[in-house]
Amino acid sequence: MTSSTSPQKTLSSLRDRAMHLGLHGVLAHWDSIGAQSWLPTLIEYEERERSQRSLQRRLQSAKLDQFKPMADFDWGWPTVVDREAIEELFSLNFIQETANVVLVGGNGLGKTMIAMNLLHTSIVNGYTACAVSASQLLNDLAAQESSAALLRRLRYYCAPQLLFIDELGYLAASHEHADLLFELVNRRYLRKSMILTTNKVFSEWNSVFPNGRVPAHFNRQDYS
């Protein structure tokens, strides 16, 4: 025996969808139009259009540069790479777990390519994201001329569900930069995820951040 969805249940589900979309005009006249045959198509069109616009907004906000898809990644080029661990990241479980991803390796091995693909996948799956280079991030925060302005910029970088900081470790950071990065990491820690790319193994991070606080903050929940 097979069961079919009752007309009442279908109508209720349709009304819930209209309510979720905020179609107040439709809801106000529900008694007269709720059973019309054209209404499901109208709601489907509205859902599809809003979903597409939401995706475009998230892509624009992410500030993603052009990148190659993972289908073009050369798994044979890095001498050591945990392909299974990298592919597992694309399940995006680390975002749900508010864990951080640290991709460590030399120049030209595809760290940024992997990170960009992870960001794009997260956006397509409904998450908000942002990409920024470490130098751009730190210079931006350091350039703020007041505590209120710095707080606004910190909130900006804390807003996305996934933040990608590229090329961490390619330049030595001052004490001020180290403190600013620590403040950002501290605000996102256990709340929202980050992806970092770096050419420095963890044992060398103290040469980049002289106060040593940032490396200690990351050691507890990283993929590398």
Side-chain angles (χ1 to χ4, degrees), residues 9 55 64 68 88 92 106 109 113 115 135-136 142 158 165 196:
K9 191 170 184 179
L55 174 59
L64 284 176
K68 293 181 179 180
E88 169 61 24
L92 305 180
L109 296 181
M113 177 180 174
S135 59
Q136 179 184 349
C158 285
I165 303 176
L196 304 181

Side-chain angles (χ1 to χ4, degrees), residues 2-50:
T2 59
S3 60
S4 58
T5 304
S6 67
Q8 292 83 1
K9 191 170 184 179
T10 300
L11 200 59
S12 175
S13 174
L14 197 63
R15 191 177 190 280
D16 289 343
R17 290 163 64 189
M19 189 175 298
H20 179 73
L21 291 168
L23 301 179
H24 302 296
V26 170
L27 293 168
H29 299 87
W30 191 261
D31 290 342
S32 59
I33 67 172
Q36 295 294 320
S37 60
W38 50 263
L39 187 58
T41 301
L42 173 67
I43 291 178
E44 182 181 348
Y45 285 165
E46 187 69 23
E47 289 173 335
R48 190 182 306 166
E49 181 64 21
R50 292 196 187 190

Side-chain angles (χ1 to χ4, degrees), residues 61-138:
S61 297
K63 296 178 170 38
L64 284 176
D65 294 328
Q66 291 186 341
F67 60 94
K68 293 181 179 180
M70 285 302 295
D72 293 342
F73 188 78
D74 184 0
W75 294 102
W77 166 233
T79 55
V80 178
V81 60
D82 190 337
R83 180 170 183 172
E84 184 177 350
I86 295 298
E87 291 179 339
E88 169 61 24
L89 292 176
F90 284 89
S91 69
L92 305 180
N93 288 334
F94 73 95
I95 301 180
Q96 299 174 22
E97 298 167 358
T98 63
N100 296 318
V101 174
V102 181
L103 300 172
V104 182
N107 298 337
L109 296 181
K111 301 185 302 296
T112 299
M113 177 180 174
I114 293 170
M116 287 291 196
N117 276 275
L118 282 170
L119 247 70
H120 186 265
T121 300
S122 71
I123 293 168
V124 170
N125 281 273
Y127 293 102
T128 55
C130 180
V132 63
S133 70
S135 59
Q136 179 184 349
L137 168 71
L138 296 175

Side-chain angles (χ1 to χ4, degrees), residues 169 171-173 200 203-210 215:
L171 70 167
K200 302 286 188 182
S203 61
E204 298 176 349
W205 278 31
N206 285 336
S207 67
V208 181
F209 297 101

Side-chain angles (χ1 to χ4, degrees), residues 120-162:
H120 186 265
T121 300
S122 71
I123 293 168
V124 170
N125 281 273
Y127 293 102
T128 55
C130 180
V132 63
S133 70
S135 59
Q136 179 184 349
L137 168 71
L138 296 175
N139 289 333
D140 182 21
L141 294 177
Q144 303 309 308
E145 297 181 352
S146 68
S147 297
L150 175 59
L151 181 59
R152 285 194 294 271
R153 293 310 287 169
L154 285 169
R155 287 174 177 168
Y156 169 80
Y157 290 115
C158 285
Q161 292 166 292
L162 181 59

